[in-house]
Amino acid sequence: MATRSPKKITHAAVGIIQRENGDVLLAERPEGKPWSGYWEFPGGKVEAGETPQAALVRELDEELGIGVTQVYPWMTRTFDYPAKFNTAGEETSEAKTVKLYFFVVTDWDGEPQGLERQQLCWQSPEKMEVSPMLPANTPIFEALKLPRQYALSNLNVLGEDVFFAALKAALEAGLKMIIVAEPQLNDQALLAFAKKVILLANRYQAEVTIQADLTLAMQLQLDGVHYTTAELMLLDSLPKGFNCSAICESAEALQHAAKLNLDYVFLAPVVQGGDVEWGQFNQLIADYPLPVYALGSLTMSDLHQARMHRAHGLAYPLQA
């Protein structure tokens, strides 16, 4: 029996060049290139002997004329592009599989210019005004909408008065997402507590997610449902119409979350014996396709370090 040859994969580095206000730079593929007229993040093929980050720095210099001075490794996603044909039925772009190494570039020297005849524009991930988007890049915009910090409710430790004072202070400081996770509460108490959290969060346009209670999420008209590792490992599908997240405490849980295509995950623990195990964290999510929050006893002063090790942001129990 003839053996099937392994699928050829093209490796490419992708730069999400992001201003302080969150806007990102997009480029329109020029005539003569496959998928011309589609918008994409700048970047290009990883050459033999190059690391993805070295390829990114080279490509952004060649394509845009900028020098990268601050870059964070982020997600890695694989995408199968179908063949494209013109109206005469002629193939204009062959089918191929690409492995995309995404980086977020937050500082650079020079002003981006279209050195390869490509049109450039800055766009808000919240409100895209150009199309069509290159298919592999479309899901990235949902991830870019996620904030850099996420809080977990901590009622059992803080008590109600201290908790709501701490939540109000965090919301005033810019917190945009919180998970209600209080397994010690009965159904009636959880409902009452969640309603109070939602009422306060709504004043600051912040989103509330609830842990593994789909019925309550529907009753409260929440956008998201959150799962523990144990709950995640029992899932074989996700509820429709909800953002879904989970705490992952093992490589197996991370793999299962990726298979189910959750919206984002929390990786824990990253704190052991008082030290943040960033090397282990980085190793676990190398080549990982989902946004990952580092979960532990962290503060926003740890954000730079977390992002240098591929984290999207930080998650932590709310503290007084």
Side-chain angles (χ1 to χ4, degrees), residues 104-287:
V104 180
V105 178
T106 58
D107 199 12
W108 58 90
D109 291 329
E111 187 64 26
Q113 305 173 58
L115 300 181
E116 297 181 345
R117 299 179 293 111
Q118 74 275 39
Q119 295 294 316
L120 304 177
C121 71
W122 293 95
Q123 293 283 293
S124 167
E126 302 286 345
K127 186 180 180 182
M128 293 294 299
E129 296 178 346
V130 296
S131 65
M133 182 63 56
L134 205 63
N137 291 332
T138 300
I140 302 305
F141 284 93
E142 290 304 312
L144 286 172
K145 294 176 186 178
L146 295 172
R148 298 293 175 192
Q149 60 175 324
Y150 213 131
L152 284 68
S153 70
N154 205 11
L155 176 67
N156 198 37
V157 173
L158 299 180
E160 185 164 337
D161 291 343
V162 174
F163 169 81
F164 280 104
L167 178 58
K168 185 174 185 293
L171 291 167
E172 290 177 345
L175 179 69
K176 289 299 180 185
M177 299 186 83
I178 183 168
I179 294 172
V180 173
E182 301 293 342
Q184 80 282 359
L185 297 180
N186 61 35
D187 291 348
Q188 184 177 357
L190 181 60
L191 175 62
F193 174 69
K195 284 182 175 180
K196 291 184 68 173
V197 172
I198 294 166
L199 182 63
L200 182 57
N202 284 346
R203 298 177 192 169
Y204 298 87
Q205 292 78 53
E207 292 187 15
V208 179
T209 295
I210 198 156
Q211 181 178 308
D213 193 325
L214 186 58
T215 301
L216 188 55
M218 295 174 66
Q219 181 180 347
L220 295 172
Q221 298 182 320
L222 299 179
D223 294 319
V225 181
H226 179 71
Y227 298 95
T228 65
T229 297
E231 291 160 346
L232 168 68
M233 299 308 290
L234 295 175
L235 292 176
D236 55 16
S237 63
L238 298 177
K240 296 185 183 297
F242 290 91
N243 294 326
C244 295
S245 62
I247 292 177
C248 295
E249 298 174 312
S250 65
E252 292 75 19
L254 285 169
Q255 292 168 6
H256 193 57
K259 180 180 178 181
L260 292 173
N261 195 30
L262 270 68
D263 293 282
Y264 49 93
V265 299
F266 302 81
L267 179 53
V270 296
V271 178
Q272 297 180 6
D275 295 321
V276 180
E277 302 290 342
W278 289 120
Q280 181 187 18
F281 180 92
N282 188 77
Q283 184 178 5
L284 282 168
I285 61 170
D287 287 351

Side-chain angles (χ1 to χ4, degrees), residues 53 56-57 60 66-72 104-110 304 308:
Q53 186 164 324
L56 177 78
V57 172
L60 296 188
I66 63 172
V68 174
T69 56
Q70 180 62 68
V71 58
Y72 295 106
V104 180
V105 178
T106 58
D107 199 12
W108 58 90
D109 291 329
H304 172 73
M308 289 298 294

Side-chain angles (χ1 to χ4, degrees), residues 39-51:
W39 291 86
E40 65 178 349
F41 296 107
K45 186 177 179 181
V46 179
E47 302 292 350
E50 273 189 319
T51 64

